[in-house]
Amino acid sequence: MTPSHIPRSPDRRPSTPRRSPWLRLLPGISSERRGFVLAWWGFALTFGGMRLLTWLIHIDVAGIGDVQAGGVHIHHYVWGILLLAVVGAAGLVERSARARAWMGLAYGVGMALIVDEAALLISLEDVYWDTEGWVSIALALAVIAVVGGVLASTRGRRPPARDRGDD
């Protein structure tokens, strides 16, 4: 911090390191674990959000509709595959704790977009609102439960000393 009697030029900022928003949101979670926690949250929230959005489309709420290209409906698993491709490519080049957190969140979102349409991918028919569509719901709930259980049961492990106050 500069003393108040020394003028600071308007184009210079103090050189304090910027804290990660994830460190503020998830205090006490190691950088290695943070990506997994964010992936789990991203998955659960995206799955719930997509179910709500598709239900609103299904009941024909004004202003909400399918994404189409050339008259062809683009299912949301396509966006999930594209997002996972980006996360995979980014993971090949970026290893910082901040990037791992963002990639974890994006990974969870991408997986939810795919798992939400698992029944369609299994049957190769649009069964989203049919009885067979419950496969997707069951699979997503199982993923949320199992991963949440693993995260909860392994929470007591202490992070290495180098990770207790990282970016």
Side-chain angles (χ1 to χ4, degrees):
M1 259 184 138
T2 60
S4 60
H5 67 279
I6 299 174
R8 201 174 77 197
S9 93
D11 59 339
R12 291 187 63 197
R13 293 184 179 165
S15 61
T16 57
R18 211 173 68 194
R19 282 180 49 109
S20 168
W22 303 121
L23 190 56
R24 289 190 301 270
L25 182 65
L26 302 168
I29 297 177
S30 72
S31 62
E32 286 86 4
R33 186 176 178 80
R34 199 172 302 132
F36 289 108
V37 171
L38 288 167
W40 182 70
W41 275 108
F43 183 94
L45 294 175
T46 301
F47 176 75
M50 289 310 301
R51 281 283 153 172
L52 174 62
L53 178 63
T54 54
W55 177 71
L56 293 173
I57 293 168
H58 184 69
I59 64 171
D60 203 23
V61 170
I64 300 176
D66 291 330
V67 174
Q68 294 192 10
V72 176
H73 171 72
I74 310 233
H75 289 272
H76 51 270
Y77 74 83
V78 172
W79 307 112
I81 291 169
L82 292 173
L83 187 54
L84 289 185
V86 169
V87 169
L92 293 173
V93 296
E94 185 56 58
R95 299 284 196 294
S96 72
R98 185 177 301 239
R100 280 196 315 264
W102 283 106
M103 286 187 289
L105 181 62
Y107 180 81
V109 169
M111 286 301 297
L113 292 172
I114 295 169
V115 169
D116 187 43
E117 294 200 311
L120 178 150
L121 294 168
I122 291 167
S123 67
L124 298 179
E125 292 182 27
D126 194 353
V127 294
Y128 199 84
W129 297 108
D130 297 339
T131 304
E132 296 90 354
W134 280 91
V135 168
S136 298
I137 295 171
L139 181 59
L141 292 176
V143 167
I144 292 167
V146 169
V147 173
V150 168
L151 287 171
S153 67
T154 60
R155 187 172 194 280
R157 295 186 183 169
R158 300 271 304 154
R162 64 180 168 78
D163 284 338
R164 290 190 190 129
D166 62 64
D167 81 355

